[in-house]
Every structure is written in C-alpha cells, then in structure tokens.
Amino acid sequence: MSNPSGNPADLSHKLRSLPSVDRVLSEPALSAALAQWPRPRVVDAVRAELDIARALLGNGTDAAFAPADLAESAGAALNQQLQPSLRRTINATGVVIHTNLGRAPVSDAAARAMSEAAAGYSNLEYDLDAGERGSRANHLEALLQALTGAEAGIAVNNNAAALYFAMAAHCAGREVIVSRGQAVEIGGGFRIPDVLRDAGATLVEVGTTNRTRAADYAAAETEHTAAILRVHSSNFRIVGFTEEPTLAELRQVADDAGIMLIDDIGSGCLLDTRQFGLAEEPRPQDSIEAGADLVLFSGDKLLGGPQAGLIIGNRDAVDPLRSHPLMRVLRLDKAAIAGLGATLQHYLLGEAVKTVPIWRMIAAEPEQLQERAAQWRSAVGAGDIEAAESAIGGGSLPAETRPTFVWALTHSHPTNAARLLRERGIPVIARVEHDRLILDPRTVLPGEDADLIAALQELLGAPA
C-alpha cells in the first residue's frame, strides 16, 4: 500500500486504530440493518467500509474513522442496494413519447391487465375450450384484425425485431429494394442497411435522397428480388423538392414483379393525427387497405401500449412467421400481451383519446395546461407562466409540436436546480433553457401534481 506521508510507523498506528468489525456492528446505527438483512450481508458491508478507510489512510488522509461513522456508511450502502435502478419519474419535459423515460405510459386498464397476468397463472399457452396446449400468438390476432382489416397478425418484442424477423424469414439470401432516402438510422445506431445485411438480405438502393419514383423500383427488380421495403422516416423529415411513390403505386410494381411489399410505418398510429392539428402519420389500416403484404409498427409509441413490435398482413405472409425459429426468440411475455390487448381494446371501443395517456396528453388544450401551470405557481409562490411548444417525440411525428403553457423559473444555477429535482425519491425531469428551469404540464400525469409541487417547494425553500 502506498504511503504518501512517508512515515510507515505512523501509517501502521493509524491502521491499528481502526475499529474491529464487531465494534462497528455494535453501533446503534446498524441495529435496523441487522434486523432487516442477513448478518453476513451486514458484515460484508462493514468490511467494505473498513477497506475504504484503509485505502484512504494508505493515500495519506488525516481523517479519523469513528465506529459510528463507519456504521452509518455501511448502513447507507446497504439501503442503496434496496433502491431499484428502474424507478418511476415525473416527466415535466413536455416530450410526450420520451424514449429515455420509457416512451408511452400505459393506461390504467393496461397496467391492471399486466399486473394480473404477471401476478398469477394465465391461459397464455392453454386453450380453455379444448383443454389442451394453445398458442400465445392467438391472444392479439382478433383485435388486430378488427382494428386494421388485416387477415392475420402477430406480435414480437419491438419493431426493430419485427423488421429483422420479416427480412430473415422472407428475404434471406435475396434482394430487398429500398429508396435511398429511406435507408435510415434511428436511435441507438439502428441502421436499415445493417439490419438487412445481418438478416441475410441484400439491400438494393434506388432513387435519390429526396426523390424516388415507382419506375426506380421497377427498374431495380431482378430474379433475385424478394421484396420492396418502404420505411417511414419516423424521426426526421425531408422537405422541399421531394417525391416518393404511394403505397398503391408500389403495390402495382410488386404485383408486376411477383414480389412482396413490406411497409415499416414505425409509430403504430391508429388515429388520424390531423384532428389534433398535427401532420398526417401513416396508419396500419391504411397500409393494409393499400395492399401491403406485411405492415410493421411499434406498440409503445403512438399506439400507447407496452413495448412490442406488431406484424400484420395477409395470411400467406404472416403464417410462416409463426413456425419460424425466431418466433420463440422474439416473442412477447404474458404481461406485455395482456397490456397490449387492453390497449387495443381502447381503440376498439373508440375511447383511446380519453383513456390512452399519450393521446390524452396530445389532445389536452393549451387553456387546460395554462390553468395547471398557474396552480403550480400559486402553490410555490414563484415562477412565470409562458406560452411554449410540447414535442411529440419518440420517433413519431418528427418536428411536430402542440401549443402549451409552461412554468418557468429564472435561476442563477438552473442546471443544479434540475439536478436537485432529479435526485428526489420520485425524480422530476425538467428542461433547462436560457438560464431558466422549465416544467411543462402536458406530460405530467394526473395525480402527479402534488409530488411535483412538493419538489418545487423543497427546491425553493418554501414551506411544504
């Protein structure tokens, strides 16, 4: 052990002065830990603190290590182990589908369904009518058929998996035609060319970044072509001098060549977004009507359910996936199936805008949000209410926003203020812009206002 002080005798004396493990364990600060934890775990925690103390002494520290202090540190370390790494947060950023904060929160009905499925046994792979083994793939198909008009449908664990699955099952060893402007990269370095290559397909790019025509696809078709793949640009937008063929036009090219048409629409939007003053987002039912063989989309974006990748289409394209080896690798678990089923039922009942949280947020009018922000200001006695914009986010409706009103506080250290909010038992995630701390009520869920106000009162030193 190094000894910067240069006095081995002094270091030896300090090391001998450290309390024993039993001495630290006798401290009242560890009584609760000894009652809660197995004794060997507490002993290990104390030894770890003593090891830290020895290392600090070896590096020349003059600090004293009292038994009470070591006991308190050991107890704190044990408590930290009980803190879950994945924690509930309050999203006050105004980004509705926030990828870093878990994307879409599910409805109360979906949460109950997921909890019930996880807490007990279920008929996940059991046919209650026949009294024999069934298939988990059957639980969602009828809902997907009713909502989209597709002949068949299955679910895997995310839309990236859905795309990989479709390519591996239908296009391995063959060519897939993609517009150059759609060979995109989304979050986490997920690139369309890489996915196709790893799935065993050969990418054939056609057209240009901003303009691709149906004739470009037709000219690229060969005897080795398996499919045309259309990819929706979920997280960016090309504007200006642009052109791309409709799905119906691509259907005609695919029919003429005798190949598949696969449409990756990304966000899984079942509603008409134009009713909320937003740009039009492709919908699965529209892709089915236009003739796509397979349509791929996410469950946890604009669909508003748990993480999933939905694959719908004609039966000849979907059924081979059920028996493919990747189906078992990529399948959903029982909780996700239950939550997704409950979410799809909201759409079937025509109640999604009222019950699915992301649609309730998107539909919220600025006047409602202004009133909520004003209540926060009244409760904490500080801040300004300002007009702003909420982003949809999460690889959905790129660059689209909804008008909102935010609570804003000019602060000498806004970054530190945001950090303090994040360090609470229930972290509050805000944004910092131009030396101001900003909280947007659009993404604060019903019932979270009291916790948010308490966080602001603590931050500002106001009486709670």
Side-chain angles (χ1 to χ4, degrees):
M1 181 180 295
S2 63
N3 179 20
S5 66
N7 189 335
D10 185 47
L11 173 60
S12 178
H13 173 74
K14 289 180 178 181
L15 291 173
R16 286 197 303 272
S17 69
L18 287 173
S20 66
V21 170
D22 287 341
R23 175 68 183 86
V24 178
L25 289 171
S26 69
E27 287 293 322
L30 281 177
S31 298
L34 286 166
Q36 181 180 20
W37 291 82
R39 184 180 177 86
R41 288 291 184 108
V42 184
V43 170
D44 287 344
V46 170
R47 285 175 174 159
E49 294 303 318
L50 287 168
D51 287 342
I52 292 172
R54 292 187 187 95
L56 291 171
L57 290 172
N59 287 325
T61 183
D62 291 327
F65 296 95
D69 295 335
L70 291 166
E72 185 174 344
S73 296
L78 288 168
N79 288 334
Q80 185 61 37
Q81 293 179 33
L82 293 179
Q83 295 298 319
S85 176
L86 184 63
R87 298 161 60 190
R88 170 197 160 202
T89 64
I90 296 176
N91 175 14
T93 67
V95 179
V96 177
I97 304 173
H98 200 306
T99 299
N100 302 131
L101 300 182
R103 288 189 175 165
V106 301
S107 70
D108 291 341
R112 286 194 300 272
M114 295 174 78
S115 177
E116 290 173 4
Y121 293 106
S122 67
N123 62 323
L124 177 66
E125 294 185 357
Y126 186 78
D127 188 324
L128 294 172
D129 293 328
E132 58 187 28
R133 183 181 178 89
S135 171
R136 72 177 65 198
N138 296 336
H139 295 290
L140 300 172
E141 186 167 48
L143 288 168
L144 292 169
Q145 290 169 329
L147 287 167
T148 69
E151 292 180 0
I154 58 173
V156 292
N157 57 28
N158 61 38
N159 196 44
L163 176 59
Y164 186 93
F165 193 9
M167 293 297 102
H170 287 295
C171 306
R174 302 184 69 192
E175 297 173 348
V176 177
I177 306 173
V178 180
S179 168
R180 186 163 279 107
Q182 295 173 8
V184 300
E185 176 180 333
I186 60 174
F190 183 87
R191 295 182 170 188
I192 295 299
D194 295 341
V195 175
L196 268 62
R197 182 182 62 251
D198 289 350
T202 300
L203 169 66
V204 176
E205 291 186 81
V206 297
T208 63
T209 301
N210 60 318
R211 306 198 82 180
T212 304
R213 301 175 179 87
D216 296 321
Y217 291 88
E221 189 271 328
T222 72
E223 62 181 4
H224 303 295
T225 304
I228 291 173
L229 171 64
R230 187 178 78 159
V231 182
H232 177 51
S233 55
S234 300
N235 57 0
F236 72 96
R237 179 181 296 166
I238 299 175
V239 297
F241 189 59
T242 64
E243 180 182 354
E244 63 178 34
T246 66
L247 201 59
E249 291 174 320
L250 293 179
R251 177 70 271 168
Q252 185 60 57
V253 174
D255 284 342
D256 291 343
I259 59 177
M260 293 184 69
L261 176 58
I262 302 173
D263 194 19
D264 181 351
I265 63 171
S267 68
C269 182
L270 289 169
L271 301 182
D272 187 345
T273 51
R274 292 172 295 184
Q275 66 181 300
F276 306 105
L278 299 168
E280 185 177 10
E281 183 78 356
R283 303 185 305 170
Q285 57 267 44
D286 298 331
S287 296
I288 291 295
E289 186 177 356
D293 293 299
L294 289 178
V295 183
L296 321 174
F297 54 98
S298 292
D300 57 347
K301 293 182 179 178
L302 287 174
L303 189 67
Q307 178 181 298
L310 287 302
I311 305 174
I312 60 173
N314 63 58
R315 193 160 295 282
D316 287 343
V318 174
D319 280 353
L321 303 178
R322 301 179 196 275
S323 57
H324 194 281
L326 277 177
M327 187 68 233
R328 187 173 182 86
V329 176
L330 303 174
R331 67 185 184 180
L332 286 180
D333 74 343
K334 58 187 178 182
I337 291 172
L340 191 56
T343 303
L344 292 172
Q345 287 174 350
H346 291 314
Y347 291 94
L348 201 62
L349 293 170
E351 62 183 21
V353 175
K354 293 181 179 179
T355 56
V356 176
I358 60 118
W359 287 114
R360 195 168 58 227
M361 294 177 198
I362 290 172
E365 295 298 334
E367 295 75 19
Q368 302 170 266
L369 304 172
Q370 183 179 25
E371 181 179 348
R372 247 177 120 186
Q375 291 173 352
W376 298 352
R377 179 178 61 184
S378 176
V380 302
D384 300 310
I385 310 303
E386 301 177 0
E389 296 289 326
S390 304
I392 306 303
S396 305
L397 292 163
E400 290 293 305
T401 61
R402 288 278 282 142
T404 188
F405 282 89
V406 299
W407 179 89
L409 178 72
T410 301
H411 197 281
S412 56
H413 300 288
T415 302
N416 286 342
R419 176 181 55 79
L420 291 171
L421 291 177
R422 294 195 306 272
E423 290 176 349
R424 290 179 52 82
I426 301 176
V428 176
I429 314 299
R431 8 187 258 264
V432 173
E433 294 178 1
H434 308 300
D435 296 326
R436 293 180 309 154
L437 185 69
I438 295 176
L439 286 79
D440 188 338
R442 185 179 295 278
T443 51
V444 177
L445 296 172
E448 291 182 335
D449 290 66
D451 287 329
L452 183 141
I453 288 170
L456 293 178
Q457 288 173 332
E458 182 178 309
L459 176 70
L460 299 169

